[in-house]
Structure formats: structure tokens, C-alpha cells
């Protein structure tokens, strides 16, 4: 278990949080230097369900979260290299939640203050986990430019080999917008208004659906933002980080 000290905190790399289908599921932990117990943020990278990296894809999020006192756990999950694997990564996110809760003392985190944060396809996976069996153990969800209505999105984002096989009911089942309920945790949706891959309307419609069932949702529009954290970084669109952290602090405050 490699452990590294940084100016921000401690990094523990390549920890196995579970196994599935004979595959080792691993995460990297980023722990603040300050006194805990810390709230925990489980980060789910994007990549169209078939690619992505738990470090490179979401690296811009680590420092601001850790500096704000959040322990971060960035996970890898089973990629949909075969049609039957499309959607199974939701179970991996659930397994990561159980791992962090079971090892809360080891990481000095508060097992009752766990947040899911996903970007792009990882936002869909995080949302589905929070809307499913793991919902009662998640305090909040942050989804960045996430596809929330796969049926409506259709061929725009679904990987080419899967488009025909996943039409209709299967896409509907994997769409977070179809599973909203009034007992769901609060959601913060962050989306670029110039996103050509996952249109801004995906988050706007999702937030409207959440509010319509009596649950809590906030929508943060990144004006002129395209698709991807790296694009936002290169364009100087970084103020969302401060707003996101403020939202998390409010949602995780005692009595929230």
C-alpha cells in the first residue's frame, strides 16, 4: 500500500476496495492533514463507461476538496468492455461505499457523512447508486455534466457497439431521471452550458424532476463550459469548485 505525503495531505494509492468478476477494484485515498473525522467524498471518473482514469480524469478536484477538509476516495470500476457489463459499475460504486464505511476508523472519516461525486458517465453511476440500494448511506450527490436520461440522449453518448442492444427499456432502467423519489439525498448538478456531448438540458430536466417529487436539487451552470474538467481548467472556468465546496459544507453541516 504506497503512502505518500503531499503539501495537502496523505495519499494512499491502489487500495483494493473489493473484487468483482475476478477483477480487483481499486481506489486512491487522499486524506487531509487536519484533525478528523473527515467527511468522505467518493469520486467516480467519467469516460463514456468504457474508458477513463481514477487519477487523470478527475485530478483537478483533489486539492480543493482535501484543502477544504474532505477525505477523497477516487475509484476505478469495471468498464463496459462487453455489452453485458454496461451498468454493472453501479454495483462497484455501492461496494466502494461499503468499503469506506467499514474502514472509517482507518481513514479517520465519518461513516455517516459520505458524498458521491461523479463526472460524465461517472455522474450517472453515482446517481444510480444513490437512487438505489445505497441511498440511505449517502448524504449528498454531486454530478458534473452527467447523462441522466439515457433514453432521451440516445446515440449521442452511448458507445457505438451498444446503441442497438441497449435501446428502449434497458436505457430507461439506467436513467437516473426515472428513479427520482422524495426520499433521495440532495443533488447538486454542475453542467457547462456549451456541452456538445451531454447537453445542459440533461441536468436541467433532472433537477426539475427531482424538485417535482419534493426532493432537493441545485443546478450550477458553468457558462460557456464544454464537456470535461480539463476543458474547464484550460478555459479558466474554475469558480464552480468554490461553490461546490460551499454547497457540500452546507449539506453536511450538523442538522442539515
Amino acid at each position: 500500500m504506497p503512502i505518500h505525503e503531499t503539501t495537502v495531505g496523505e495519499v494512499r494509492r491502489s487500495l483494493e476496495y473489493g473484487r468483482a468478476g475476478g477483477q480487483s477494484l481499486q481506489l486512491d485515498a487522499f486524506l487531509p492533514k487536519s484533525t478528523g473525522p473527515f467527511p468522505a467524498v467518493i469520486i467516480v471518473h467519467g469516460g463514456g463507461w468504457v474508458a477513463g482514469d481514477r487519477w487523470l480524469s478527475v485530478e483537478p478536484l483533489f486539492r480543493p476538496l482535501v484543502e477544504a477538509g474532505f477525505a477523497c476516495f477516487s475509484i476505478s470500476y469495471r468498464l463496459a468492455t462487453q455489452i453485458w457489463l454496461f451498468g454493472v459499475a453501479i454495483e462497484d460504486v455501492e461496494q466502494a461505499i461499503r468499503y469506506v464505511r467499514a474502514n472509517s476508523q482507518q481513514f479517520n472519516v465519518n461513516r455517516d457523512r459520505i458524498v458521491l461525486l461523479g463526472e460524465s458517465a461517472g455522474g450517472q453511476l453515482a446517481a444510480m447508486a444513490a437512487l438505489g440500494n445505497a441511498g440511505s448511506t449517502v448524504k449528498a450527490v454531486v454530478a458534473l455534466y452527467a447523462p441522466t436520461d439515457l433514453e432521451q440522449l440516445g446515440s449521442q453518448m452511448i458507445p457505438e457497439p451498444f446503441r442497438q442492444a441497449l435501446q428502449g427499456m434497458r436505457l430507461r432502467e439506467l436513467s437516473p431521471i426515472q428513479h427520482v423519489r422524495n426520499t433521495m439525498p440532495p443533488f447538486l448538478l454542475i453542467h457547462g452550458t456549451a456541452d456538445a456531448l451531454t447537453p445542459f438540458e440533461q441536468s436541467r430536466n433532472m433537477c426539475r424532476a427531482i424538485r417535482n417529487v419534493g426532493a432537493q436539487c441545485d443546478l450550477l451552470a458553468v457558462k460557456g463550459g464544454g464537456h470535461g474538467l480539463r476543458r474547464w481548467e484550460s478555459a479558466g472556468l474554475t469558480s464552480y469548485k468554490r461553490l461546490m465546496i460551499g454547497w457540500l459544507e452546507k449539506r453536511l453541516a450538523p442538522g442539515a
Side-chain angles (χ1 to χ4, degrees):
M1 179 183 66
I3 299 178
H4 307 283
E5 291 289 340
T6 70
T7 56
V8 178
E10 179 185 308
V11 181
R12 304 182 189 180
R13 300 207 61 175
S14 303
L15 306 178
E16 184 174 273
Y17 70 85
R19 299 189 66 85
Q23 179 178 335
S24 174
L25 303 175
Q26 299 187 351
L27 58 78
D28 297 325
F30 304 81
L31 309 176
K33 285 186 174 180
S34 56
T35 303
F38 312 109
V41 179
I42 297 174
I43 300 175
V44 190
H45 70 78
W49 300 281
V50 297
D53 182 86
R54 68 176 185 263
W55 187 289
L56 297 177
S57 300
V58 290
E59 186 271 337
L61 299 172
F62 300 153
R63 178 176 289 273
L65 284 168
V66 174
E67 286 183 340
F70 294 89
C72 296
F73 301 86
S74 188
I75 71 170
S76 294
Y77 51 85
R78 285 174 289 174
L79 301 176
T81 53
Q82 302 291 332
I83 182 64
W84 62 272
L85 287 169
F86 196 84
V88 300
I90 299 167
E91 301 170 6
D92 302 342
V93 178
E94 294 172 345
Q95 193 166 178
I97 296 170
R98 292 192 295 270
Y99 173 84
V100 172
R101 285 175 56 84
N103 293 277
S104 59
Q105 290 187 334
Q106 173 188 341
F107 295 114
N108 196 18
V109 301
N110 186 331
R111 68 194 305 271
D112 296 319
R113 299 173 72 202
I114 293 178
V115 174
L116 295 181
L117 189 162
E119 59 103 22
S120 194
Q124 179 263 346
L125 297 173
M128 288 297 293
L131 292 166
N133 298 329
S136 62
T137 60
V138 174
K139 291 290 288 184
V141 176
V142 178
L144 296 94
Y145 42 89
T148 57
D149 188 344
L150 303 189
E151 190 176 32
Q152 187 275 331
L153 196 59
S155 63
Q156 198 161 346
M157 189 174 179
I158 307 301
E160 177 67 37
F162 304 154
R163 290 175 185 172
Q164 295 300 318
L166 289 172
Q167 286 183 354
M169 185 61 69
R170 183 60 174 156
L171 290 181
R172 187 177 180 87
E173 290 173 357
L174 292 172
S175 296
I177 199 169
Q178 298 297 333
H179 300 278
V180 297
R181 60 180 189 277
N182 61 2
T183 57
M184 64 188 286
F187 270 54
L188 172 63
L189 306 180
I190 306 175
H191 213 126
T193 59
D195 193 325
L197 184 60
T198 304
F200 179 77
E201 288 73 18
Q202 286 274 311
S203 286
R204 184 171 59 190
N205 294 342
M206 177 68 172
C207 205
R208 183 182 296 121
I210 292 172
R211 292 171 177 171
N212 284 345
V213 297
Q216 300 176 22
C217 179
D218 291 293
L219 175 60
L220 174 57
V222 179
K223 189 173 182 180
H227 191 87
L229 292 176
R230 296 293 184 179
R231 286 191 175 92
W232 292 2
E233 291 290 312
S234 62
L237 301 173
T238 59
S239 62
Y240 75 92
K241 299 176 188 178
R242 173 179 52 82
L243 298 171
M244 175 185 72
I245 288 169
W247 185 90
L248 287 172
E249 291 173 339
K250 179 180 178 181
R251 293 301 178 188
L252 296 177

